[in-house]
Amino acid sequence: KVPTGERSPRGSLMHGKRIKGVLFDFDGTLTFPGALDFPAIKREMNCPLDIPILEYLETVPAELKPSLMKILESREEKAAEESLPNVGAEKCLLTLRDKGVLLGIITRNSFPSVRLALERFETVGLHDFAAVITRDDSLPKPHPDGVHKASERMGLAISELMVVGDFRFDVMAGKAAGACTVLLTNGRQSLMVPGDPEPDYTVACLEEILQLV
């Protein structure tokens, strides 16, 4: 639920700071959840279910990594071709853009898969984003490296940036960087676990973000 509090024009509720840019996770945030079947991908790659895929790839012998990356990229491409915009995603993005808020993407996916999935959007395209940070650009979330790189590309201070995502790694990365964080639940149970940092806000759908910015 979005916390209540005093709002400043076009600003978030966080310490009275004005948010000038919103950095979105991609899969399950801007796209409808479920396009990527992570358990199936892990099974095909022989990745333990309790280890994130990118972290698993760092542990495998160098000679195995290319074939495993090929599996991952193939699955990502197929998911991108079948993906759909999340509920309210295009309205949210267009409204923020029209307010003069800069838009960004931060994802553990590849750039080609993001570009392909954005072709499924009707009113928003790659050109609408001031920064697109993929696993090729930075250390993957939950590391804050990508958030810092996005703020640099967007020309904004971290305090002017809001990070929005549907998974705990999004909140962890945003918090570690010092940005405002929003957990998107898509109307489902939160995926945060005990010991994780608390998001500044929790919303059920993307359009609720418009109340914050």
Side-chain angles (χ1 to χ4, degrees):
K1 186 176 179 180
V2 177
T4 57
E6 202 172 309
R7 287 188 177 88
S8 57
R10 286 175 55 195
S12 80
L13 309 180
M14 186 181 182
H15 311 308
K17 299 271 188 177
R18 177 177 167 185
I19 295 299
K20 297 182 180 179
V22 181
L23 186 59
F24 292 92
D25 169 55
F26 198 66
D27 289 297
T29 298
L30 291 184
T31 63
F32 196 80
L36 272 173
D37 187 342
F38 288 107
I41 297 171
K42 288 182 175 184
R43 285 192 295 271
E44 188 173 356
M45 297 175 67
N46 292 317
C47 172
L49 292 177
D50 61 342
I51 299 178
I53 291 171
L54 297 184
E55 284 73 4
Y56 168 69
L57 285 170
E58 292 302 312
T59 70
V60 302
E63 62 270 19
L64 295 181
K65 194 168 183 178
S67 61
L68 294 177
M69 282 299 301
K70 188 173 181 179
I71 292 172
L72 177 59
E73 290 167 356
S74 175
R75 286 279 195 158
E76 286 178 342
E77 181 179 358
K78 186 175 185 295
E81 290 172 345
E82 298 174 352
S83 68
L84 294 171
N86 204 354
V87 176
E90 296 200 66
K91 179 181 177 181
C92 177
L93 292 169
L94 290 172
T95 302
L96 291 173
R97 186 194 67 184
D98 291 346
K99 286 182 175 184
V101 177
L102 295 180
L103 306 174
I105 291 171
I106 182 168
T107 177
R108 288 166 58 97
N109 280 14
S110 67
F111 181 79
S113 67
V114 171
R115 181 177 56 199
L116 185 59
L118 281 173
E119 293 176 2
R120 307 277 290 172
F121 286 61
E122 294 183 0
T123 58
V124 178
L126 195 60
H127 61 277
D128 290 300
F129 296 91
V132 177
I133 305 296
T134 70
R135 62 169 174 258
D136 301 317
D137 301 300
S138 70
L139 296 172
K141 297 174 292 184
H143 197 283
D145 181 50
V147 180
H148 286 291
K149 283 188 167 67
S151 72
E152 292 170 6
R153 292 190 189 182
M154 298 167 82
L156 300 176
I158 289 289
S159 61
E160 298 172 319
L161 199 60
M162 174 181 282
V163 178
V164 179
D166 68 319
F167 190 57
R168 51 194 295 263
F169 284 0
D170 305 305
V171 175
M172 293 165 71
K175 279 288 189 179
C180 174
T181 58
V182 178
L183 176 67
L184 171 68
T185 67
N186 290 309
R188 302 174 184 178
Q189 186 174 356
S190 168
L191 296 176
M192 306 299 288
V193 301
D196 283 346
E198 286 289 328
D200 295 293
Y201 307 104
T202 297
V203 298
C205 65
L206 286 171
E207 290 182 50
E208 290 182 28
I209 294 168
L210 301 176
Q211 302 173 40
L212 303 174
V213 181

